[in-house]
Amino acid sequence: MLRDVLFDIGQNYLSESTKELTANSFAERVRKNGKDALFAAVGDANLRYKASVGQGNWAAVPWLGIFNPESTTSATHGIYVVYLFAADFQSVYLCQGQGVTKVKEEFGRGQIDELQRRAALIRARAPEHEKSFVSGSVSLGGSTNLAKEYDSAVAYYKEYSLKNLPENAVLERDLKEAVRLYETLIARGGTDNFES
């Protein structure tokens, strides 16, 4: 269940991330169960599902993502639905996110302004998000540059306390709504006037 995966990460990530990442059973569990829980909640075989705790090193901000191949299959570019965990693991955010790596490569120091411009376009193209989500960026409290960049990449979000997560049915309903908005956003052009 989605709730179980989010809770598991919230409870165990900080202690597990002090251990070696290679062949770490918790990391493997998150990758597998995260992907499976997203698919079970959404049920669309045309989408791609991924859970990440980092590659080579533990991520400051682990995430669970849903990708439409029409936009992207990677967290480095394009737009996607993503759960981002606050660095203190008190909260998790369900977000309409966007890849930061390609923007950073293209815009360098201007990347934050560019991410914010694209986030504003996303909000404008899917104004229905205001019924269920909070407009604006998040504040994950991450110390790495990438973790800080995630904040500006978010267009809208819903925050959950990891100590008091809603029932699984509520989490799944919210996720389905985020995916519906994502599909609407792609149909309306995503961030096409910014990305080729």
Side-chain angles (χ1 to χ4, degrees):
M1 274 196 320
L2 181 58
R3 187 180 190 277
D4 295 340
V5 172
L6 298 176
F7 185 77
D8 186 20
I9 296 169
Q11 287 291 112
N12 298 305
Y13 194 88
L14 286 177
S15 61
E16 287 293 329
S17 63
T18 63
K19 303 173 186 174
E20 180 65 36
L21 177 56
T22 306
N24 181 284
S25 60
F26 168 77
E28 291 304 314
R29 183 171 78 233
V30 168
R31 289 179 185 124
K32 182 186 184 314
N33 293 351
K35 181 179 175 179
D36 292 349
L38 292 174
F39 177 71
V42 177
D44 186 340
N46 295 314
L47 299 175
R48 303 291 176 264
Y49 307 89
K50 184 175 181 184
S52 177
V53 295
Q55 296 177 354
N57 295 304
W58 290 94
V61 175
W63 54 265
L64 309 177
I66 299 176
F67 307 88
N68 182 322
E70 288 181 33
S71 170
T72 187
T73 56
S74 164
T76 62
H77 66 280
I79 55 174
Y80 47 87
V81 172
V82 64
Y83 285 99
L84 296 171
F85 289 81
D88 63 4
F89 290 87
Q90 297 300 303
S91 302
V92 62
Y93 297 85
L94 171 59
C95 310
Q96 176 55 60
Q98 55 178 317
V100 300
T101 305
K102 295 288 186 193
V103 174
K104 186 175 188 173
E105 288 171 3
E106 186 175 349
F107 291 90
R109 287 189 180 154
Q111 69 171 336
I112 298 299
D113 289 341
E114 184 61 21
L115 287 168
Q116 290 173 342
R117 246 190 318 277
R118 293 179 189 204
L121 177 64
I122 289 168
R123 289 190 290 273
R125 285 208 169 139
E128 305 93 325
H129 77 271
E130 293 178 357
K131 294 176 189 164
S132 306
F133 295 88
V134 177
S135 292
S137 58
V138 295
S139 183
L140 301 172
S143 58
T144 67
N145 285 337
L146 184 59
K148 292 174 185 172
E149 291 155 5
Y150 283 155
D151 292 352
S152 300
V154 171
Y156 50 83
Y157 66 90
K158 184 167 276 196
E159 181 180 7
Y160 306 101
S161 164
L162 283 164
K163 288 186 173 17
N164 191 24
L165 281 167
E167 294 301 314
N168 195 68
V170 173
L171 292 168
E172 289 192 359
R173 183 193 68 216
D174 292 347
L175 180 58
K176 286 177 183 170
E177 177 61 9
V179 170
R180 187 190 71 76
L181 288 165
Y182 175 44
E183 300 287 9
T184 298
L185 178 61
I186 290 170
R188 292 176 182 166
T191 57
D192 274 356
N193 67 334
F194 291 124
E195 295 184 295
S196 56

